[in-house]
Amino acid sequence: MQCELCGRDCECKPADVDGVRMMLCPGCMRHGKGVKETQASSSLNQGTFPGRIKKPTEKDVYKDMNKELVTDWNEIIKNARKKKGLTREELGFKIGERTVTIGKIENGDLRPSDKVVKKLEKELNIRLIEEVKSVSDVSVGSQSARGLTLGDFIKKEK
Ligand SMILES: [Zn+2]
């Protein structure tokens, strides 16, 4: 290969001379800026971001799966209260909650806290907490009396 500046036959290397790419011998290299030929600009940006892939977090998925409020807890509370002949005000007084709160709970607008659930269960003699079966336990014959499938239950919970 010949040097493009002096024409000498040598091991020339690419260099930048006033913006022009030329092949220069070691003697002429000082006239230009050295160019690293391995720096192909296109292949630089690929696959060089370690640590960007997030592992899916599985925490807390099954945390609340064992005991859940029954699907129509608000209806159960309302019906049980009426059976006992209590007004919302009276029920609220018995369990130490405001009438407005009882109303919201019965409308399904407010999910009662565990504490309130326990008080309601005791006061109205009802059951609001049920064990949630794991999916493998669900077979064709294990639908509840209300005809709800586990799928219905999950949909409602969301
Ligand atoms: Zn030269």
Side-chain angles (χ1 to χ4, degrees):
M1 193 181 281
Q2 280 188 331
C3 172
E4 289 179 55
L5 263 193
C6 66
R8 226 169 72 183
D9 199 17
C10 65
E11 275 189 40
C12 298
K13 288 184 176 169
D16 189 16
V17 183
D18 292 333
V20 180
R21 182 67 96 74
M22 299 183 89
M23 298 304 286
L24 300 180
C25 69
C28 295
M29 193 57 84
R30 60 193 159 92
H31 296 297
K33 281 188 279 183
V35 174
K36 283 180 193 166
E37 217 170 30
T38 48
Q39 254 185 10
S41 56
S42 64
S43 66
L44 261 182
N45 296 327
Q46 288 175 1
T48 52
F49 296 101
R52 278 198 62 183
I53 301 167
K54 276 186 185 173
K55 279 186 184 174
T57 49
E58 289 171 32
K59 62 170 186 177
D60 293 345
V61 173
Y62 298 107
K63 201 176 106 186
D64 296 320
M65 280 303 282
N66 291 329
K67 289 189 175 179
E68 281 287 350
L69 277 177
V70 291
T71 319
D72 46 1
W73 43 270
N74 57 315
E75 291 292 329
I76 291 171
I77 293 166
K78 195 194 293 177
N79 292 336
R81 175 178 61 76
K82 284 178 179 170
K83 260 187 206 170
K84 287 224 166 199
L86 295 170
T87 64
R88 288 177 174 179
E89 204 172 359
E90 286 167 335
L91 177 61
F93 181 78
K94 278 173 181 285
I95 67 168
E97 296 293 332
R98 294 192 303 163
T99 310
V100 178
T101 308
I102 302 296
K104 278 184 183 172
I105 289 173
E106 289 188 355
N107 286 329
D109 294 334
L110 178 73
R111 190 191 158 107
S113 66
D114 290 352
K115 213 172 86 185
V116 173
V117 164
K118 278 192 186 118
K119 285 191 280 189
L120 284 168
E121 285 185 322
K122 201 178 164 191
E123 190 60 44
L124 298 173
N125 201 24
I126 52 175
R127 220 168 148 63
L128 295 172
I129 300 291
E130 67 178 5
E131 305 266 337
V132 177
K133 290 176 180 176
S134 66
V135 176
S136 60
D137 286 341
V138 175
S139 63
V140 182
S142 70
Q143 292 180 2
S144 72
R146 279 173 244 117
L148 288 171
T149 63
L150 184 65
D152 291 324
F153 181 74
I154 290 171
K155 254 183 263 166
K156 271 207 167 184
E157 281 298 292
K158 283 178 180 173

